[in-house]
Amino acid sequence: MNGGPSGFTNAPVTRLFIVASAIFTIFFGIQGRFGTLGLSYQDIFGKIRLWKLIMSIFSFSSTPELMFGLYLLYYFRVFERQIGSNKYSVFIVFSILTSLLLEVLAVALLKDPTANLVTPGPYGLIFASFVPFFFDIPVSTRFRVFSFFFSNKSFIYLAGVQLLLSSWKRSILPGMCGILAGSLYRLNVFYIRKAKDPTLQFPEFISSFFSRITLPSMGSPHATSSSSTRHSVGNLPSYPARQMERNYPPPMQSAVEPSEDSINTLVSMGFDRNNARQALVQARNDVNVATNILLEAQSH
């Protein structure tokens, strides 16, 4: 399933997170210190080790986990393109902190001082992303292999199951905490979605921070021209739900033919190509408005 065009185009926060995760994992792997990672009761309630808490956010504990984890993070960049880097930064912070808090509570309840109960890695963010993936990314294709039915989303789910079971109980716990964190975000607990408003200082600071420390040489040639798209997604107007095929109002004669990049961006989110083009024509080539039209049409 395609996660979008041109690598990390319009996804600088995802790019930075993937690079950081890979660097930390490789660093601990070279030093042969994978065994020192993972959270235990003693790390939190005995001799507090803040460095393990921080490393547990980024570093995976094995090469297979790194491969599946980075693949899923790379695919989920589609959400940063959909809602913008500013809002996605808030989603990352909320998912990581909430899942980490839930993990600490779980470790406290289990009270096993001898075992590393939680495997390290950004499980909170990855599995929190499965919540909007399930609800917001539509199925565009279905196919059958022998007697089994699959969709274009099946391989993402299979990669998630593989990662969830990679360390058995040690990976299931943070994975479930991540799903719960994503559900809390979707339910707008503590009105967290209000923090996505670009007029607020906290998410704006995070977005600015990521933009400054991301290396220009790693950027995409389209990043500058599409920056307005990333930061204006949050102000989508509300449109009444319509059936895509029949109820689109005719476009203005002066409307510009949708660009191929805009169409590919919507297709990367899982929308049908023809529907994406129609939505862009109606929205006058505004990807943000077109996304809103498609999502509302999909919900009916």
Side-chain angles (χ1 to χ4, degrees), residues 250-258 280-285:
M252 296 179 62
Q253 293 183 352
S254 59
V256 180
E257 181 70 16
L280 284 166
V281 170
Q282 179 183 346
R284 299 168 192 163
N285 210 28

Side-chain angles (χ1 to χ4, degrees), residues 116-135:
N116 283 342
L117 298 174
V118 180
T119 191
Y123 282 77
L125 172 59
I126 292 172
F127 286 95
S129 299
F130 272 100
V131 177
F133 176 74
F134 176 80
F135 287 104

Side-chain angles (χ1 to χ4, degrees), residues 5-12 77 81 220-223 226 230:
S6 304
F8 291 104
T9 301
N10 297 349
R77 75 198 188 283
R81 291 172 173 169
S220 164
H222 302 288
S226 57
R230 295 198 304 271

